[in-house]
Amino acid sequence: MTGRLMLLDTASLYFRAYFGVPDSVRAPDGTPVNAVRGLLDFIDRLVKDHRPEQLVACMDADWRPQWRVDLIPTYKAHRVAEEHEGAPDEEEVPDTLSPQVPVIEAVLDALGIARVGVEPYEADDVIGTFTAHAKGPVDIVTGDRDLYQLVDDARGIRVLYPLKGVGTLQLTDEAVLREKYGVDGRGYADLALLRGDPSDGLPGVAGIGEKTAAKLLAEFGDLAGIMAAVDDPTAKLTPSQRKRLDESRPYVAVAPKVVRVADDVPLPDVDTALPHTPRDAAALEELAGRWGLGGSLQRLLTTLAARP
């Protein structure tokens, strides 16, 4: 298929739904289902507004892969709720959100919306690999700016970044990136690496903020060019920049593998086509009744059925 592919950073979206929809939205037994219903409303709006032919809900099979932690031990360390020997660490998640995740997964499966998570990878890596293999345009829906690195005008790859719900999306292309950050998609990973990201436990290079990183990338092209300039006494670096970049070599040597999303995840063979009718109508009916999915599910079913 070569039609528009939409890739959902599912955890990013259900976290937003959880915090954006009141927890007074509950199942008949009183269990909060605000994240479930909010995500269904998100998907309904996305399908209506952007008309993808294919859609994949990409999942975190491992939200903090050990191979990334081995390279940068602080990676997402502040988000660990409980460590597990020989298994993925448990992420700190609100008490009333955790029980909703299996419901979300069951509803997506009954609808027939492709859902893909692969160990030991994050959803970002699944998204990066689907994007690398795509034959047509790709819309990546995420509240995580890390995925800006995949933006590529020539291939029709853009990021739909929710500013408020999913009714207000920033359609992020290379022009937006250049205006906001002074780089294109390819340069964004280097910018993020240099700048650092406290939310992911990435230290960055001391003294190199976003604006300085953008200036260095404009001057020297990419991370390799910047590090080559450190060894070139004629290069236009301040003594402070040269010293700090030189001291950062151990970090710079390993950070690219951590910051850049993988594009070689072994993806399962899945049907990514958006369904017109549910894959398992009986299971969906049972889920709808048990969890009180009401209008949110009905609206999405109507939208899917009405697609050409």
Side-chain angles (χ1 to χ4, degrees), residues 73-134:
T74 57
Y75 182 66
K76 294 187 178 179
H78 61 295
R79 295 197 227 164
V80 176
E82 190 174 339
E83 294 183 1
H84 296 292
E85 189 70 35
D89 292 332
E90 194 172 317
E91 185 177 13
E92 195 168 15
V93 176
D95 290 345
T96 54
L97 173 56
S98 295
Q100 298 187 58
V101 176
V103 181
I104 288 168
E105 293 175 345
V107 172
L108 292 173
D109 291 349
L111 280 165
I113 289 175
R115 182 172 65 83
V116 178
V118 180
E119 293 185 357
Y121 296 99
E122 300 175 57
D124 286 9
D125 302 311
V126 174
I127 289 169
T129 304
F130 269 113
T131 299
H133 294 172

Side-chain angles (χ1 to χ4, degrees), residues 155-207:
R155 294 189 57 214
I157 299 165
R158 59 187 185 174
V159 168
L160 309 186
Y161 184 87
L163 300 174
K164 186 177 180 183
V166 289
T168 307
L169 293 169
Q170 174 184 284
L171 271 60
T172 311
D173 58 10
E174 290 184 11
V176 170
L177 291 182
R178 287 194 190 94
E179 181 183 347
K180 281 181 170 282
Y181 305 105
V183 295
D184 57 13
R186 186 181 295 273
Y188 189 84
D190 287 347
L191 178 84
L193 183 156
L194 291 163
R195 174 195 65 199
D197 187 349
S199 70
D200 279 343
L202 294 173
V205 176

Side-chain angles (χ1 to χ4, degrees), residues 277-298:
T277 57
R279 174 184 293 145
D280 190 336
L284 195 61
E285 186 176 355
E286 190 275 329
L287 288 163
R290 179 179 177 190
W291 299 107
L293 302 182
S296 298
L297 180 58
Q298 284 306 314

